[in-house]
Amino acid sequence: MKKIVIVFLAGVISLSSRAQSMDSYVQEGEFGLALGAAHYFGDLNTRAALNRPKFSAGAFFLKQFGNYIGLKVGVNYARLGYSDVYSNNEVQKRRNLSFNTNLWEFAVSGQFNFFKFYPGISGFTYTPYVSLGVGVFSYDPFAYLGDQKYFLRPLGTEGQGSAAYPDRKPYGSMAVCFPVAVGFKYNVTPAINMFAEVGYRFTTTDYLDDVSMTYAPDAFVTTPNGQPSTAMLLADRSYETGTPIGIKGRQRGNSSQKDAYVIAQVGVSFNISSYRCPKP
């Protein structure tokens, strides 16, 4: 009987001590770094293939409000790119367009933990989470002609900024994104967490890949020596696969659907905590 009482008292003391630790510990937030991959979806990748991931990296600060809700401010770099040569669609292969871009993103997101998260407290050291936010990003698509790199936006490959198409204005180098992410984090030590996260970005631009509407061959002029201009050669590259297909008005992209990208990362974060006097 005495042993039972001792075990019971030990359990009560242990639970009381654990509750007191949880009550006195305050998770203020965390900051972290991450590495991973990014992938583009759009007019050159219409089937949402994940066959050409590229490098991404990020950093963030998370302010925690209680055990479940947080506000995250993050920056990300991603290299995006794709080419029609990777498509299974014969029309796209004939189109023969490609692009790359360096993307910089700044976003603010609300984050929700599914479980209580108390770093250093047994049983509360992990949680899946979701986040939803809004951000802005910069991009500047480019392509190679021979060994020469050309930025596509100034060329107006769909007639943007030309007298022949006054309604087609040059697109900007910045756009808005709406990140939706899911992740999982695990507390390794009281001060350090490991996490993995996948986030999809809806965007407000259809020119992440410099492809959106119809061909506009009459927007370009030949060079003084009678040769096609650089803009003309990069606007319709089907001449590299056969007879050129870029006649006026023919569909070059799908303007009814915006481009998007996904970022998947793993990383480490460092807790910011404080302590308060436990409740009596």
Side-chain angles (χ1 to χ4, degrees), residues 96-201:
N96 195 38
L97 296 175
S98 64
F99 87 102
N100 282 281
T101 187
N102 294 304
L103 182 147
W104 291 93
E105 174 195 273
F106 173 82
V108 178
S109 303
Q111 184 168 300
F112 175 77
N113 294 335
F114 284 95
F115 305 149
K116 281 187 176 181
F117 187 67
Y118 286 100
I121 306 297
S122 177
F124 298 92
T125 55
Y126 62 91
T127 182
Y129 61 85
V130 296
S131 67
L132 175 65
V134 62
V136 294
F137 65 93
S138 65
Y139 66 106
D140 203 359
F142 61 87
Y144 289 90
L145 186 61
D147 295 326
Q148 186 68 39
K149 175 181 175 181
Y150 293 95
F151 286 96
L152 300 169
R153 183 166 59 94
L155 299 179
T157 55
E158 292 185 350
Q160 302 98 325
S162 70
Y165 296 85
D167 58 324
R168 297 188 182 185
K169 306 300 181 184
Y171 58 88
S173 61
M174 299 189 71
V176 176
C177 64
F178 301 94
V180 179
V182 295
F184 183 89
K185 63 180 175 180
Y186 178 77
N187 178 231
V188 181
T189 73
I192 299 174
N193 312 310
M194 299 292 292
F195 68 90
E197 180 178 301
V198 178
Y200 188 89
R201 272 72 170 168

